[in-house]
Amino acid sequence: EPEVTQTPSHQVTQMGQEVILRCVPISNHLYFYWYRQILGQKVEFLVSFYNNEISEKSEIFDDQFSVERPDGSNFTLKIRSTKLEDSAMYFCASRLDISQPQHFGDGTRLSIL
Amino acid sequence: GIQVEQSPPDLILQEGANSTLRCNFSDSVNNLQWFHQNPWGQLINLFYIPSGTKQNGRLSATTVATERYSLLYISSSQTTDSGVYFCAALDRGSTLGRLYFGRGTQLTVWP
């Protein structure tokens, strides 16, 4: 069964550094998402992306965050200047269309020191 | 956005027992998914069930959309069922697919 692939599985970064989290969604899917989960808390929506543009973003997704689909297969989340509170598990998800479920990757655990 | 409430927050079972996890949502939904988060943090898709009943082995789920709840049944539980179970709902009015997650049910199954 095709799956969403995320790399790296774990990223450790110094506060203030830029970090890029990478995702390869399922190949024929059209809608792409990033979510995050702070340790011990629920999963929270960050941003959705459709037709090469952001379609919705949450209040968490401020100017420090950006997303890109640079080459038709990868979907990236960039955090420009990381803060301690950015430490979390970041999940990428994709789906084929509105009537289908979202498929999640295994996540990238981001640790900010 | 919609509110998603899960109960109970914690559940401890002996291996072999059955359990029911509940998910209530505050508004009409057109997508309801159940996930199992394993100890490594992976979110495993269990069911996509906007309405009706589905079964997969020892697990089954029922969503009654008109009454705004969904139930996940685990029968003959095993230690590998331990982890956090999340439900997530998509607002019926949304065309873009933002999922709202509940806070989860932490299930511990003892041998």
Side-chain angles (χ1 to χ4, degrees):
Chain A
E1 184 178 322
E3 54 185 33
V4 176
T5 306
Q6 290 187 242
T7 55
S9 56
H10 192 186
Q11 173 87 43
V12 182
T13 302
Q14 291 287 333
M15 187 173 61
Q17 296 296 304
E18 175 182 286
V19 66
I20 297 176
L21 309 182
R22 302 182 191 279
C23 171
V24 179
I26 295 173
S27 64
N28 61 339
H29 284 193
L30 301 175
Y31 298 80
F32 313 109
Y33 307 86
W34 284 100
Y35 293 82
R36 81 168 186 193
Q37 183 185 29
I38 294 170
L39 187 64
Q41 297 187 23
K42 66 179 179 181
V43 179
E44 301 173 290
F45 169 81
L46 290 177
V47 65
S48 60
F49 193 85
Y50 171 70
N51 204 23
N52 280 321
E53 60 183 18
I54 290 174
S55 45
E56 187 180 2
K57 56 185 180 179
S58 72
E59 59 281 358
I60 302 168
F61 194 90
D62 62 22
D63 292 344
Q64 294 285 68
F65 291 88
S66 62
V67 289
E68 199 176 37
R69 186 156 162 81
D71 56 12
S73 62
N74 292 282
F75 181 49
T76 61
L77 174 69
K78 186 195 301 187
I79 309 174
R80 253 179 283 282
S81 178
T82 50
K83 307 184 188 79
L84 293 175
E85 54 264 37
D86 294 327
S87 294
M89 179 78 100
Y90 288 80
F91 292 101
C92 173
S94 71
R95 66 174 178 156
L96 178 60
D97 62 40
I98 190 75
S99 66
Q100 298 296 313
Q102 291 185 26
H103 296 263
F104 281 70
D106 287 345
T108 293
R109 189 172 300 281
L110 178 63
S111 301
I112 307 300
L113 304 179
Chain B
I2 59 174
Q3 306 298 314
V4 179
E5 302 287 338
Q6 291 187 244
S7 60
D10 297 280
L11 188 56
I12 300 173
L13 299 173
Q14 198 79 33
E15 203 168 28
N18 303 327
S19 61
T20 301
L21 283 57
R22 187 176 180 101
C23 173
N24 292 331
F25 35 92
S26 61
D27 210 339
S28 300
V29 299
N30 59 17
N31 178 355
L32 194 291
Q33 292 184 241
W34 281 97
F35 298 90
H36 174 216
Q37 187 165 43
N38 63 22
W40 296 271
Q42 298 167 325
L43 280 174
I44 312 299
N45 225 323
L46 295 177
F47 292 102
Y48 168 68
I49 186 162
S51 64
T53 297
K54 289 186 178 178
Q55 178 141 16
N56 184 4
R58 296 181 296 104
L59 273 57
S60 64
T62 295
T63 297
V64 183
T66 52
E67 296 187 25
R68 299 182 187 171
Y69 73 88
S70 183
L71 302 174
L72 178 69
Y73 306 95
I74 305 173
S75 64
S76 304
S77 56
Q78 301 175 357
T79 55
T80 51
D81 294 332
S82 296
V84 184
Y85 289 80
F86 290 102
C87 69
L90 171 62
D91 193 328
R92 190 176 182 84
S94 170
T95 57
L96 302 170
R98 170 183 184 165
L99 282 176
Y100 292 86
F101 280 75
R103 294 193 175 276
T105 292
Q106 173 78 58
L107 175 65
T108 304
V109 181
W110 293 99

